[in-house]
Structure formats: structure tokens, C-alpha cells
Amino acid sequence: MELGELLHKERDYSRDEIIYLLNLKDTRDIHKLYSRAQEITNEYFGNMVYLRGVIEFSNYCSEHCMYCGLREENLILPRYRMTAEEILQTSKNIYNSGIRTIVLQSGQDSFFDTDLVSYLIYSIKRQFDVAITLSLGQRNFEEYKTWKIAGADRYLLKHESANPKLYATYHRKAKLDDRIQHLKYLKRIGFQLGSGNMVGLPLQTVEDIADDILLCRELDVDMAAFGPFIPANNTPYQNKKAGSTELTLKTIAVTRLVMRSSHIPSTTSLDSIDTFGREKGLAAGANVIMPNFTPHPYREKYLVYKNKRGIKFEPSEAHLAIKNRIEAAGKKVAYSKGHSLKMRVTA
Ligand code: SAH
């Protein structure tokens, strides 16, 4: 099949076709891929970019992910937990900025137990008309259910790698199957589901990335998130090479072709390895940006990787800078909750 035909195919891309697209080398071909992805994005979202305000409320973590700066073994990283009052104040800042999704993100920190997280969800929902996304790592099934009932709308849990061998290598022998069971359960009890992985992790191949995309399709995720791997200080992978802008953009674009209406963020990690990372992501099929509202002095301590962009800024400045960049790129900020388009079908 020639490229033009492949780019206009409706759904059901095969694994080989996905690999073929990820392997495109010719600059003109790659640009055809990006522009087809953007065309599909426009069909579903127009030129609107959805914003989600992120609060990184704790960097304590009981996990051992080889790539992540928050891993428990990193004794050099100063740890923090925001208080409930600080989290509610930051939620108010997000609400006052006009953004209508609040993402509560942390390391895997059991201090924020079932009750405390429920209290946060309930308090935020009572005060502000927003959607809430939880990104707290792999917790237990009862907790997910309680948090759903407390009012949380979405759960973001990246599968990180769809290759079971690599998954076990990155996560001290943890099982990919378990992660997938969690993702399926979250979806089943009614969360809008976000998943995805890093691009350019050590040992990862293009075939693995194709399987990552296929897993997102199989899970029918509402958001698929891909950012480049960037080495983090004080981790086993601190001297490894970062993922590339190009392969990340190709992954975003191919995912847009395969997933059509799912949300896809243009991530902070992509923006951290490339001056125009956000813009390039938006031009290759992404339609979501997640500005970081974590206040100082915590902001500079949520170091999942090196040279994270924007940590020195005031949160409100960071948001405005992003808004300006979106508008300069000819797009518009959507100040709405930005629920999954799939919800409309069932709602
Ligand atoms: N603890 C939660 C989320 C916090 S980390 C969880 O396990 O889901 C948020 C995301 O940062 C992770 O899902 C991972 O994909 C990304 N991340 C971690 N280390 C990274 C690195 N070195 N480079 C790029 N992204 C990284």
C-alpha cells in the first residue's frame, strides 16, 4: 500500500502497518504523517486545546521504577507532602485560572490513604465545578471504587511498557498483567481511563512502541499519553540516552491515526527535550496540555527526570506562557472540562 492510502485508511491498522509508519525516515513522508494526524485531530476537536491543571501533591514513593527520579531508593531527593489545605488552595488557583480539570498526581504514597484522598475529591467537587483526574499509581481495587463514588472522574495510569519482559526489567519483576488488570478494572467501574508509556526507554524497540499503541487501543483508553524517556538523577538509568523528539512525535501521530477520538497530550517531557516540544506535539496530533500548578517550594522537587521545564516559574506565569504559545500556534484554549468524546456516546 502506498503511504497516502495508508494514512487515509479507516481504523484497524495492523501491527505491521504501525511499525511501518513508526519507521518512516524520509522527512517529507514524516510530515505527511504529522499533517494527516493533525487533520484527524481537527475533525474531532477543531483547533481547541484542552487544559488540565496538575497538582503534584507528594513525591514520596514506595516503588522502584528504574527510570524514575521519585523511586524509593533515591535518598538524595528531598521529599514533601502538601497539606490538604495547600491542595485545596492550589485547586482554587486552577479553578480561578479558568481550567476545569484538576489532576491530582503523586508518587505511590500510602500516607494519602483511602479516606484522605476521598476527602480531597469530595472537598474539591463541593467547591468547584471541575472534573478530577487521579494519578496516584497502582492502588487497591476497593480504593478505586471509593474514589469513584467520592466523585473522581478519570484515572491516569500509564502502562509504561507493553512488553512483559521489559516491564519486569523496569519495575523490579512486577507483572505487566497486574497493571493491565488494574487498568481494566478502572475502566469497568466507570473511570475515563488514561494510559500510555515512555518513548526511547533503554532496550525498547520500535516493535515495542507498536505494541504500546495496540495496548492503548485494546484498553480503549480515553487518553493516550506518550512522552520521551529522559534520564533522572540518582537512578540506575541516569546515564542513558534520552528518547528523541522525532520518535515521540511519530508515536503521537500514529496513535492519532489508530485511536481517532482519544485525547492525546503534548507533554512537559517532550517540551523539556525540545524548545518547541509543545507546539510540535500539537502539530502531530496532540490536543491536550497539562500545565503544572504545583506551588513552590514543592514544584522543584517533583523530579521524575532531569531538566524538567518550567519548574522555576511561578505556576500562574507557566500557565499564561502555555496559553500564549497555544495561541501563537494558531490554536485556541478550551476552557471546559474536556470529557472524553466517548462519554457522549454513552451519556
Ligand atoms: N506514581 C504515578 C504517577 C507519577 S509519575 C504512577 O505510577 O502512575 C508520572 C509519569 O512520569 C509516569 O507515568 C512516567 O511515565 C513518567 N516518568 C517517570 N520517569 C520518567 C523519566 N525518567 N522520563 C520521562 N518520563 C518519566
Side-chain angles (χ1 to χ4, degrees), residues 193-208:
L193 188 61
S195 198
N197 57 276
M198 279 160 277
V199 173
L201 277 163
L203 308 171
Q204 183 192 50
T205 64
V206 166
E207 286 74 16
D208 292 324

Side-chain angles (χ1 to χ4, degrees), residues 58 60-61 63 65-70 104-109 134-138 155-160 171 179 196-199 201 225 227-233 235 237 269-270 302-306:
S58 163
Y60 278 85
C61 191
E63 291 300 300
C65 311
M66 299 288 273
Y67 45 79
C68 183
L70 305 190
L104 297 175
Q105 187 174 82
S106 66
Q108 222 157 290
D109 180 8
L134 301 177
S135 177
L136 317 180
Q138 217 166 305
Y155 207 100
L156 171 57
L157 182 72
K158 296 213 219 162
H159 65 264
E160 313 292 9
H171 303 109
R179 189 89 165 173
N197 57 276
M198 279 160 277
V199 173
L201 277 163
F229 157 73
I230 305 174
N233 288 326
T235 62
Y237 290 169
S269 51
L270 179 58
Y302 199 84
L303 292 178
V304 284
Y305 49 80
K306 284 183 211 182

Side-chain angles (χ1 to χ4, degrees), residues 82 93 111 123 136 141-142 147 165 181 200 255 257 273 317 342:
M82 289 170 65
N93 297 343
F111 176 90
S123 306
L136 317 180
F141 285 30
E142 283 307 309
W147 297 335
K165 279 206 184 111
Q181 289 318 313
T255 303
L257 264 54
I273 59 161
E317 282 170 31
K342 293 171 194 170

Side-chain angles (χ1 to χ4, degrees), residues 92 95 102 116 138 144 158 161 163 188 263 265 276 336:
K92 189 172 178 180
Y95 184 79
I102 293 177
L116 181 47
Q138 217 166 305
Y144 298 141
K158 296 213 219 162
S161 169
N163 174 331
R188 195 161 76 234
H263 289 299
F276 298 105
S336 65

